[in-house]
């Protein structure tokens, strides 16, 4: 996988690749759904402009910095955008990165989040000088915890009421893997 180029990472059912400006309409169709964003730290997109700005400002800006966040998750059989995954530095001096993922509703429960996360984790450990890779999920989203465990991260604990979001406090369930603990 190459951030700035056209290369991508393939799994049996998915392709992970950088977002492109032409993805904005498909992204909006997914990202305006409150069910998709229920457990994300970002709000549902209200207009197609939100999706265009996400790609042109956030995604392309991250790629220019060499950060693998976000990657489009595309179904290989239909070439349809179905979600996103990505990883960013939480502390570059301490070699610690955090990753996340989300999928559109019709693709929930098929093992695709695990497939995408596994590909991203392998890419990050192979490409970046990361020692610790971590992830969390917001209380109520235990399906995400199962994904993290399948990928090889270990549950480290609960950061109680660590996130104030959408006018309330949320517990964060924290997972991590150290270099060498996850098959890549």
């Amino acid at each position: 996988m190459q951030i700035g180029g056209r290369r991508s990472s393939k799994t049996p059912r998915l392709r992970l690749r950088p977002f492109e400006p032409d993805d904005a309409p498909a992204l909006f169709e997914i990202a305006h759904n409150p069910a998709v964003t229920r457990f994300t730290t970002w709000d549902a997109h209200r207009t197609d402009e939100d999706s265009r700005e996400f790609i042109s400002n956030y995604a392309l800006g991250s790629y220019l910095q060499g950060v693998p966040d976000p990657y489009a998750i595309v179904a290989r059989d239909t070439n349809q955008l179905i979600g996103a995954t990505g990883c960013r530095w939480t502390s570059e001096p301490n070699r610690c990165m955090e990753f996340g993922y989300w999928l559109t509703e019709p693709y929930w429960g098929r093992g695709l989040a695990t497939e995408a996360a596994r590909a991203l984790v392998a890419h990050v450990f192979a490409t970046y000088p990361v020692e610790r890779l971590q992830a969390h999920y917001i209380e109520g989203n235990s399906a995400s915890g199962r994904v993290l465990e399948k990928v090889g991260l270990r549950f480290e604990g609960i950061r109680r009421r660590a996130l104030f979001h959408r006018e309330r406090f949320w517990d964060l369930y924290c997972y991590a893997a150290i270099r060498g603990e996850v098959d890549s």
Side-chain angles (χ1 to χ4, degrees), residues 5-64:
R6 296 293 115 211
R7 287 185 48 207
S8 64
S9 177
K10 293 181 182 176
T11 71
R13 299 179 292 172
L14 305 172
R15 187 164 56 100
L16 276 60
R17 62 162 174 77
F19 272 95
E20 300 169 352
D22 290 347
D23 290 323
L27 176 60
F28 178 71
E29 284 305 310
I30 299 168
H32 83 277
N33 181 348
V36 169
T37 62
R38 180 176 172 205
F39 294 111
T40 66
T41 54
W42 50 277
D43 292 324
H45 292 189
R46 289 186 219 127
T47 66
D48 352 4
E49 184 61 26
D50 291 342
S51 297
R52 282 193 296 279
E53 284 182 17
F54 171 82
I55 292 170
S56 64
N57 295 337
Y58 181 74
L60 298 179
S62 292
Y63 304 153
L64 289 173

Side-chain angles (χ1 to χ4, degrees), residues 74-82 107:
V74 177
R76 287 183 67 185
D77 60 346
T78 63
N79 204 33
Q80 179 181 359
L81 176 70
I82 63 169
Y107 292 88

Side-chain angles (χ1 to χ4, degrees), residues 86-143:
C87 193
R88 63 192 174 282
W89 289 105
T90 56
S91 175
E92 197 165 355
N94 293 313
R95 299 163 116 194
C96 181
M97 294 183 95
E98 182 156 343
F99 78 100
Y101 45 83
W102 55 267
L103 291 174
T104 188
E105 271 184 286
Y107 292 88
W108 293 354
R110 298 183 187 185
L112 295 169
T114 301
E115 195 170 318
R118 190 172 282 128
L120 179 72
V121 167
H123 168 66
V124 167
F125 275 123
T127 308
Y128 295 86
V130 63
E131 181 64 19
R132 174 186 168 84
L133 185 59
Q134 61 190 32
H136 69 265
Y137 72 84
I138 297 172
E139 68 181 270
N141 190 12
S142 58

